[in-house]
Amino acid sequence: MNILITGGCGYIGSHCAVVAIKAGWHPIILDDLSNSGEFVIERIHEITGVRPTFIRGDVRDATTLKEVFSSWEIDAVLHFAAHKAVGESVEVPLSYYHNNVGGTLTVLEAMKEYGVKTFVFSSSATVYGEPKEVPIQEHSPRNPTSPYARTKVIIEDILADLTEAEPDWRIARLRYFNPVGAHESGLIGEDPRDTPNNLMPYIAQVAVGQQERLSVFGGDYPTRDGTCLRDYIHVMDLAEGHLAALDHLRGNEGLLTVNLGTGTNSSVLEVIGAFQKASGQDIPYEIVGRRPGDVSAYWADASLAKQLLGWRAKRNLAAMCADTWRWQAANPSGFRKPTEARQHRLGLDSHSQT
Ligand code: NAD
Ligand code: UD1
């Protein structure tokens, strides 16, 4: 069974490729490497013993997609390729609409032409905006507050229209909460190109000495310790959720919409504490002003995924921090620098530690 994974060299796509290989799929990864590197393919090979097929190309390029669909018999598509930085999307909205919405349309049109009708889409909890109620259920109103979030809502609507017009499509809209962590080997993980915007990669860079201290955005929220609450989900649990969705689609036509979260929440200070414990490193931080646009608390109602997919997140915050640390400590500069010297110095063996 061949699965096309767009954006498969990226953070979530690479972990999904590993899980898909373990489940017996052969991944064909299409990525333009705009936010990743080809070395990820080697690492996936090292972890699984299988080398995914890799094509460097842009999902907006219909000719490339035709080549892919005419060269391989594709059974399903996992569509990760997108731009994902909320702040950047405010500055360059056209680029976000073009890449995220335009790219998805090109992929769907190629699928239609070649009769491939199973599609899993990376949506996001960001579609809900400031929630009226927590935990957030799938039928909660969507209220996107950035161009990035609006690209996700527009694509969700395109997918709904498509299944309405052609009910034999099998489409999953998976709304991720806050993906963190790394594969337990420490060989793949999140590798931000610039200074990280998100909490966990920033903490990891402080722990490894790449950043001096963490700014905690806001200590006066109406929460148990004054910092924001989020539903952090281990990227391997998330990846397994994709496989569960694919299984579901095998037996069901139409549109599936589910939250992928743990159903629990952690505050910023709790994440810092858990990371210090997992890594044995001090994480210097200071509480500063709120970050514009941040919502005080949101987490998933994860019961629908359990009911429909038989899937639930299994890894806790301690595992998320331990796996992030193993990846970051072994790869202090991400995929770009040799790791062995650093690994040796830290006394870490990325293959044997769990
Ligand atoms: P990522 O940037 O690590 O991975 C995306 C990959 O897509 C990269 O390898 C990039 O090079 C590639 N890409 C981008 N545009 C492309 C194009 N036009 N053609 C081909 N390849 C292209 O991001 P990620 O964190 O792995 O996110 C994957 C998906 O999940 C995205 O759709 C993102 O919006 C969504 N998502 C991510 C998060 C998160 O916190 N990481 C949360 C919710 C939803
Ligand atoms: C953000 C995006 C969301 C995306 C998600 C990916 C926004 C508004 N939302 O969510 O669309 O899906 O990332 O995981 O940007 N924090 C600090 N210091 C930091 C960084 C973060 O205190 O240096 C705090 C934030 O204020 C927030 C929490 O940590 O309370 C989590 O932040 P982050 O990891 O950026 O995720 P979200 O903002 O929830």
Side-chain angles (χ1 to χ4, degrees):
M1 295 182 302
N2 292 322
I3 191 158
L4 174 61
I5 307 185
T6 75
C9 290
Y11 173 45
I12 301 170
S14 58
H15 290 80
C16 281
V18 167
V19 173
I21 289 169
K22 297 248 152 104
W25 293 86
H26 177 77
I28 292 144
I29 290 179
L30 173 63
D31 199 304
D32 67 356
L33 305 182
S34 55
N35 198 35
S36 54
E38 199 176 335
F39 16 71
V40 175
I41 302 293
E42 274 317 311
R43 297 289 179 91
I44 295 171
H45 185 196
E46 205 174 329
I47 293 169
T48 62
V50 174
R51 176 187 293 276
T53 302
F54 174 63
I55 298 139
R56 183 172 187 172
D58 191 317
V59 289
R60 290 166 293 182
D61 180 0
T63 311
T64 301
L65 281 162
K66 279 187 181 188
E67 273 167 30
V68 171
F69 281 98
S70 58
S71 305
W72 286 275
E73 203 163 304
I74 307 279
D75 297 287
V77 177
L78 297 181
H79 181 50
F80 297 101
H83 295 329
K84 64 165 181 177
V86 174
E88 189 183 64
S89 79
V90 177
E91 285 157 28
V92 287
L94 293 184
S95 164
Y96 272 66
Y97 287 111
H98 199 271
N99 199 35
N100 296 8
V101 181
T104 306
L105 281 174
T106 316
V107 172
L108 291 170
E109 279 161 354
M111 289 177 69
K112 186 169 159 66
E113 189 178 340
Y114 287 87
V116 181
K117 298 204 162 181
T118 302
F119 184 78
V120 178
F121 172 60
S122 303
S123 191
S124 168
T126 195
V127 299
Y128 297 117
E130 173 107 46
K132 290 219 162 58
E133 271 180 1
V134 281
I136 305 178
Q137 296 184 318
E138 286 80 353
H139 59 71
S140 304
R142 295 174 310 169
N143 182 21
T145 57
S146 70
Y148 167 70
R150 277 186 281 279
T151 69
K152 295 295 179 189
V153 167
I154 291 168
I155 297 163
E156 283 199 353
D157 289 347
I158 291 170
L159 297 173
D161 287 343
L162 180 57
T163 41
E164 186 69 29
E166 300 180 26
D168 60 335
W169 280 75
R170 297 161 191 263
I171 293 181
R173 307 188 300 188
L174 305 182
R175 294 180 179 155
Y176 312 158
F177 278 69
N178 286 53
V180 297
H183 186 264
E184 45 272 21
S185 64
L187 286 168
I188 54 174
E190 188 168 12
D191 182 18
R193 292 227 147 156
D194 307 310
T195 306
N197 295 314
N198 299 121
L199 180 64
M200 189 67 92
Y202 202 103
I203 291 178
Q205 289 202 3
V206 173
V208 87
Q210 300 259 353
Q211 303 287 342
E212 206 176 317
R213 66 178 59 238
L214 173 77
S215 296
V216 174
F217 300 137
D220 59 351
Y221 284 100
T223 59
R224 52 183 175 268
D225 63 14
T227 65
C228 294
L229 305 180
R230 293 289 182 274
D231 187 341
Y232 298 96
I233 174 170
H234 196 295
V235 67
M236 289 302 288
D237 278 327
L238 191 71
E240 288 162 13
H242 287 68
L243 268 289
L246 278 172
D247 272 351
H248 176 89
L249 294 179
R250 200 173 285 159
N252 296 277
E253 292 181 342
L255 186 64
L256 166 77
T257 305
V258 285
N259 290 337
L260 293 184
T262 64
T264 61
N265 61 72
S266 307
S267 74
V268 176
L269 295 181
E270 287 163 357
V271 176
I272 296 170
F275 201 96
Q276 289 188 149
K277 201 165 168 202
S279 65
Q281 307 292 310
D282 186 33
I283 312 291
Y285 69 87
E286 71 180 310
I287 296 180
V288 301
R290 293 182 178 192
R291 183 171 69 175
D294 271 345
V295 170
S296 71
Y298 66 84
W299 64 97
D301 181 327
S303 54
L304 189 66
K306 183 152 186 261
Q307 186 193 321
L308 292 179
L309 311 180
W311 168 93
R312 67 179 175 83
K314 298 198 262 312
R315 297 158 178 91
N316 61 17
L317 184 61
M320 298 177 210
C321 293
D323 291 337
T324 302
W325 171 239
R326 190 174 305 107
W327 151 252
Q328 187 73 65
N331 304 271
S333 306
F335 287 109
R336 282 170 289 277
K337 299 254 169 67
T339 61
E340 285 73 17
R342 177 84 187 179
Q343 247 174 287
H344 186 67
R345 187 145 54 87
L346 289 166
L348 283 170
D349 173 359
S350 64
H351 294 283
S352 63
Q353 296 222 349
T354 53

